[in-house]
């Protein structure tokens, strides 16, 4: 489960050629870092507690992108939920509930209950993406001001 923040490389390269790499790259890199921090903080605040520690900025921020990842085996099921068996869902692996109990019988009982009823999705990554989308205009304005300040010097 990952949220990727990227820029159109061709457009960025054209701007970089016109204005110079030292003028564009540092502010854009800061914009990407800030967007990744916002996404990570929002995902952590909305994720279930078992997943909050597994959400991290996996890839060091590159020139044109960053990736916030929920590195947990159950992240996808917790994000989107799980359909019940009668609606075409699958039986979840009992080992997925090892964080709740170490008793295999109890793990199987929980898996059976989840298979019967399904689960609601938490949509923590979807909400993080929405927050970054809402904040992007302000981040872009800040980046444009930084580039203008450097240009004026």
């Amino acid at each position: 489960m990952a949220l990727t923040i990227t820029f159109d490389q061709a457009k960025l390269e054209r701007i970089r050629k016109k204005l110079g790499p030292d003028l564009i790259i540092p502010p854009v890199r800061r914009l990407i870092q800030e967007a990744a921090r916002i996404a990570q903080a929002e995902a952590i605040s909305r994720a279930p507690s078992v997943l909050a520690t597994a959400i991290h900025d996996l890839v060091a921020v590159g020139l044109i992108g960053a990736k916030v990842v929920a590195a947990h085996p159950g992240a996808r099921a917790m994000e989107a939920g799980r359909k019940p068996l009668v609606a075409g869902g699958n039986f979840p692996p009992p080992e997925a509930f090892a964080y709740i109990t170490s008793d295999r019988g109890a793990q199987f009982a929980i898996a059976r209950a989840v298979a019967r009823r399904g689960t609601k999705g938490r949509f923590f990554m979807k909400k993080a993406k929405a927050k970054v989308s809402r904040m992007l205009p302000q981040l872009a304005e800040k980046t444009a001001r930084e580039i203008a300040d450097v240009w004026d010097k």
Side-chain angles (χ1 to χ4, degrees):
M1 177 100 301
L3 172 66
T4 306
I5 302 164
T6 59
F7 279 87
D8 183 353
Q9 191 170 2
K11 288 181 182 177
L12 186 62
E13 189 60 33
R14 281 198 308 262
I15 293 170
R16 196 172 88 161
K17 281 182 181 176
K18 285 182 182 178
L19 301 177
D22 296 337
L23 184 66
I24 297 296
I25 300 305
V28 170
R29 187 172 287 138
R30 282 191 291 277
L31 177 132
I32 293 170
Q33 287 173 336
E34 185 64 26
R37 276 195 294 273
I38 290 168
Q40 181 181 13
E42 184 70 11
I44 287 171
S45 71
R46 294 187 174 273
S49 60
V50 71
L51 271 185
T53 58
I55 297 173
H56 58 280
D57 183 5
L58 179 71
V59 179
V61 176
L63 178 61
I64 58 163
K67 188 181 279 191
V68 178
V69 176
H72 187 278
R76 189 174 305 271
M78 289 183 200
E79 168 73 12
R82 188 179 270 285
K83 292 192 284 186
L85 282 175
V86 293
N90 297 324
F91 198 90
E95 307 83 49
F97 303 101
Y99 68 92
I100 296 174
T101 180
S102 59
D103 179 27
R104 295 281 296 153
Q107 289 174 7
F108 185 78
I110 294 169
R112 186 174 52 219
V114 167
R116 255 192 242 131
R117 297 184 198 125
T119 59
K120 289 176 75 174
R122 296 306 256 316
F123 302 107
F124 54 94
M125 291 298 259
K126 186 177 184 180
K127 291 174 183 174
K129 181 178 179 182
K131 183 165 185 174
V132 169
S133 294
R134 283 192 313 272
M135 302 260 328
L136 208 52
Q138 292 112 6
L139 294 173
E141 279 182 34
K142 182 180 170 187
T143 302
R145 281 193 306 272
E146 285 182 35
I147 292 170
D149 289 346
V150 172
W151 180 264
D152 290 340
K153 290 182 181 179

